[in-house]
Amino acid sequence: MRLTQALERAVQQGPDLPATIFGNRTRTWAQCHERVTRFAGALRDLGVGDGDRVGILALNRDDYHEFQLAVPWSGGVGVPVNTRWSVEEIAFSLVDSGTRVLVVDDAFAGVVPDVLERAPVVETVIHCGEGITPAGALAYEDLIAGHDPVPDAGRGGDDLAAIYYTGGTTGRPKGVMLSHANLLASALGSSATEHFLVPGGRLLHTAPMFHLADGAAWVARNLVGGTHVIVPGFTPASVADAIAEYRVTDVLLVPTMVQMLVDAPETRDHDLSSLRRLIYGASPISEAVLERAAARLPAAEFTQMYGMTELSPVCTMLTPDDHGRDGLRRSAGRAAPHSELRIVDPDDEEVGPRTVGEIVCRGPHVMLGYWNRPEETATALRGGWMHTGDGGYLDENGYLFVVDRIKDMIVSGGENVYSAEVENALARHPAVAACAVIGVPDERWGERVHAVVVTAPGASTSADDLRAHCRELIAGYKCPGTVEFVEALPMSGAGKILKRELRAAHWTTAERAVS
Amino acid sequence: MRLTQALERAVQQGPDLPATIFGNRTRTWAQCHERVTRFAGALRDLGVGDGDRVGILALNRDDYHEFQLAVPWSGGVGVPVNTRWSVEEIAFSLVDSGTRVLVVDDAFAGVVPDVLERAPVVETVIHCGEGITPAGALAYEDLIAGHDPVPDAGRGGDDLAAIYYTGGTTGRPKGVMLSHANLLASALGSSATEHFLVPGGRLLHTAPMFHLADGAAWVARNLVGGTHVIVPGFTPASVADAIAEYRVTDVLLVPTMVQMLVDAPETRDHDLSSLRRLIYGASPISEAVLERAAARLPAAEFTQMYGMTELSPVCTMLTPDDHGRDGLRRSAGRAAPHSELRIVDPDDEEVGPRTVGEIVCRGPHVMLGYWNRPEETATALRGGWMHTGDGGYLDENGYLFVVDRIKDMIVSGGENVYSAEVENALARHPAVAACAVIGVPDERWGERVHAVVVTAPGASTSADDLRAHCRELIAGYKCPGTVEFVEALPMSGAGKILKRELRAAHWTTAERAVS
C-alpha cells in the first residue's frame, strides 16, 4: 500500500471536492493531483531518485500537503524540518539525513544562506510562497508549470517514506525512519475505532505539519477522504477564525493549545459549533483544562492519542466514552487495534496490572529504525518492542496511565515522585494557567520537588497557597518544596514543555545536566 | 501484525467480557485465550509445524472461532472446508491443500470414513461437539484439557494464514492463499470507513463461517473488540431468535438471506430493534428486497460490501448514506480506503467513466496467489492487479456498478444483455420472490434471455405478465424470451445462485457447458 493511493482514490471519488483550503485559496483533488504529479516530475528532473531525501522547512500551507504527496510519488523520502529549531539544528538534520533538495517558504527564505553554509549537502533550494524567490532558488510554481505529470514511482509497503527528526527533548535529534506501511498502519488502526476522523470531514491543520502528531491526522484524513483546512501556525484566533469560517469538523491540538484556545478572550464570540472531534495528545492534559474545553466546545467529542514519532505515532486512544467515566480522564486510553502494548520491568519482563514500568509497544507501526544509528535502533527496539522511555502502568481493563518520562521521575528522600501527578494537582488551582514540575538538587533529600508556574491572567497566588492546595490532593512528600513563577514555559516545536531547559538552571554539574 | 494480536488485546482490555455466545454457552475472552493457547499446544504436539495446514469441516459454533485463532497461534494455516460440498469435493480440497489434521463436528462425524478414504493425506481427525467422538478421532475437549498453553508461534505479516477454497461457481475449486496482512488490511480498511463494525458490538454469525464473507467480519470484530454470537446455520427463525435474545447489533447476510428473513412469516413478531448494522454482499440485491428490509429493520444501517475471496475480501463499500441517494442503490459502492479499483478493457488499459470493462483491484489485501497454481495465479494477478472476472463500470464519482460476471453476460442477437439488469426488473414485480436470468441456446438469436423465477407465497403470475412488466422498465431485447417457474433456486455454500446448474439443463454441448 502506498501513501499516494489516497490521492488517486480521492480523484476517483470526488475530483471537484476541495482538497485544501488555505486562506482564500481552495484547490480541488483534481487540481491537487495535477500539481502533485507535475511537481514529482520536477523532482525527478532535479535528480531525486528512489529513496533520496527531500526536505521542507515551512510553516503550514497547502503546498506542504502537496509536498507530502509529491515526494513519495516521485520515489523520494520526505524530511519535514522542525521550524522552531535554530539554524544549527536545522543544518544538523539536513546533513545527517543527506537531504539534497530543500523546499522553503517565505518565512525561511531569509535563513537559506546560513543553512546552506552549514549544510553544503543541500544542492537545490525550491521556494514556495507569495514573496520573491531568493537568488539561486527555484520557484515552486515554475517547476509545476514547467513539468509534465509523471506516473507514481510505485514505492510503498516497507519502503522508507519519511524521516521525522524527534523533537530533541533529550539529547541530539534522531531521524526516525517511517515506511509507507508504518504510517498507514497507524492511520488505519486509529480510524478503525470510529473515534478518529470520519469520511468527508474537514480537518484543521494548526499544529505544525512537520510534526507527526499532525502528520498522522493528515494521513488518516487522506485515507478516509475529506478536506484539509490549513493555517500557517497556531494562535487561538487563527484556530477560532478557521473553525468558524470553514466549518471545520476535526482538529488536532496539543494540550497547551487547548488551554490557550479555551482561555483566550479574543475567541469568546466565535461560533465553534461545527467542531465534532477534538483530538489531543503529545503530553497529558489537566482535568481542569479538559473541563473548560468541554464547556466551550459542547458539540465536540474528545479523543486522546498517546504515542510517539517512533510509533507512527499512535499507541493508545482514550475514546469520547472513556472521557465520561470517572477515573479514566487521567488515562492515556487503551491500545489501538494495530498496536500491542505492554509494561515491562528493567529486565524487559512483563509486569502485572497497576505496577509501574516502562511502556513498550509492538506492531506494524513501529519505525524501521533511527537513520544511521544502528546502535540506538537496536537499543530502542530490543526484543522486537519499541521502548518508549515513558513510565506507566495498566489497569485491569488495559487502560494506560502514563506516570512520567522515566528520566523525569523525581527521587526525593527515597520516594519516587511522578511529576504528572503533581502537575495535575497544581493545575486544579484556579490561579494556575500552566505548570511544570521538575526535580532540583537538594542537600537533604537528594532531589526536591520544584514547581514552575504560569498564573492565569489577573490571578495571583503564592508558594504557600499552592502547597496548601496540593496537600489536600496528594501526599506531603509529593508537594512542591519550592515554587517559581514565570511568564511562560519553554516549549519544543511540538508543544511539549522543555523540562530539560527548566532543569538546566538548577543542575550545574555536567553529568546530571546532560541527561 | 498477527491475526492473534486481537486475542491478546481483548484479554488486556476486557478479560471477563463475552467472546462468544453459542446457544446457552458463553465464553469470556480470558477463557477463550486459555482454550486457544491450549489447543494450539495440542496441535503442535500433533506435529503441526509452521505453515502446516489444519482443516475444519463444521457448522458454525464457538469452537470454530477458537479454531480460527488457535491455528495461527500454533503456526499453522487454516483450511475452512465448505460444508455444502459433496464428499468428493471436500476430499479434493483436503488433498489439494495437503491437510493432515482435520477438525469435524457432529454434523460431519458421519462422513469422516468416506472423506478419509478419498483423502488419505488426513492423518488426524479431531471431533468437537456434543455427540460421541468417532473411533479413531481425538476429542477436542480432551486435547484442550490435556495440554498446557504455548506461546504464539509469531507468524504474521506476509506469512500464509489461511487457504480458502473458492465456491466453485466456475470450474474446479482453487485454494486462495491469504496472509495475515491480507486479512488485516481488508478488515482495517473496511472498519476505517465507520460504516463497518464498531467497537463493543455483537456480531451474529449466521452466514457460514467457512466463507470469507463471514470470516472477514470475524476478523474485523476481533480487531475492534466485541462479541461473537454464533448460530449453527441460517434459517430466518435462527437469525430472528438470536437477534431478539442476545441483542445482536451487527449481522452479515447475503441477499437471499435478507429476502428470506424479511419475508418469513415466523419472524414477524420478533423484536429486531437491537440491530444497528446489516452488511450484505456476495451478490447484488434487488431494490424491492432492500425496501422491505429497511421497513422491517428501521434501526439498522445498510452497508453493501463488494469483493471476492481473492481480495480478503473487500473491494468496495456502499455506505448507509449512499443507500438513501437516488440511483446509487444499484451500485456496489466505492473503493474502500485500502483498495485500488480500476475498470480495464481486454488489453488491461484503463477505461473512462461509464464504460463497461473488467473490474480489477490492487492493494495490500490482494491474495498471495492460488495454492499450487502458479499459472492461474499469474493470469489472475497479471500486471499486479487482481482480475475479478466481473464486468462493471464506474460513474464520475467512483461508484462501481457491477453489471455481470463476464462469463454470465448474455449475447442475444448481437446485443449484450447483463442478467443483473433483467433480474432487477423482474424482482420489482410483486409476485416474484427470487429470480435468476441466464442465456440459453436459441436458433434465431444465438442466445435467448431466459428467466428462472420463484414466486412469492400465495402469489401467482405468468410469463406474459412478467414480460409485460419488464417491458415497462427495460428494452425489449433484454426482456425474458422464456420464463420457468421453480420452487427454489440452486445455491452455493456461500449463498450465491448457481447459474452454472441452471444453464446445465439447457446447454447440452460439452464445450459450452464446461465454461
Side-chain angles (χ1 to χ4, degrees), chain A residues 2 9 13 334-335 340, chain B residues 2 9 13 334-335 340:
Chain A
R2 299 168 293 121
R9 181 169 172 271
Q13 302 191 356
R334 302 197 279 188
E340 284 186 83
Chain B
R2 300 168 292 124
R9 182 170 171 270
Q13 302 191 355
R334 302 197 280 188
E340 284 186 85

Side-chain angles (χ1 to χ4, degrees), chain A residues 3 7 12 32 36 39 42 51 77 86 106 216 261-262 269-270 281 284 287 292 301 322 364 376 418 464 477 481 483:
Chain A
L3 283 170
L7 173 60
Q12 185 178 73
C32 174
V36 162
F39 185 54
V77 170
S86 67
D106 292 340
L261 175 65
V262 298
D269 298 326
H270 282 73
E287 296 239 7
R292 296 207 294 283
E301 291 190 324
D322 294 336
E376 281 158 281
Y418 298 106
D464 283 342
Y477 71 89
V483 180

Side-chain angles (χ1 to χ4, degrees), chain B residues 187 196-197 203-205 212-223 228 252 279 313:
Chain B
F196 200 41
L197 310 180
L203 170 68
L204 177 63
H205 296 270
L212 192 58
D214 192 82
W218 176 82
V219 174
R221 170 49 70 224
N222 287 336
L223 267 176
H228 302 278
L252 179 132
I279 297 153

Side-chain angles (χ1 to χ4, degrees), chain A residues 20-38:
Chain A
T20 52
I21 298 174
F22 179 64
N24 295 323
R25 185 161 69 201
T26 297
R27 291 174 179 158
T28 66
W29 281 106
Q31 289 169 328
C32 174
H33 184 272
E34 176 82 11
R35 292 170 58 84
V36 162
T37 55
R38 287 177 180 272

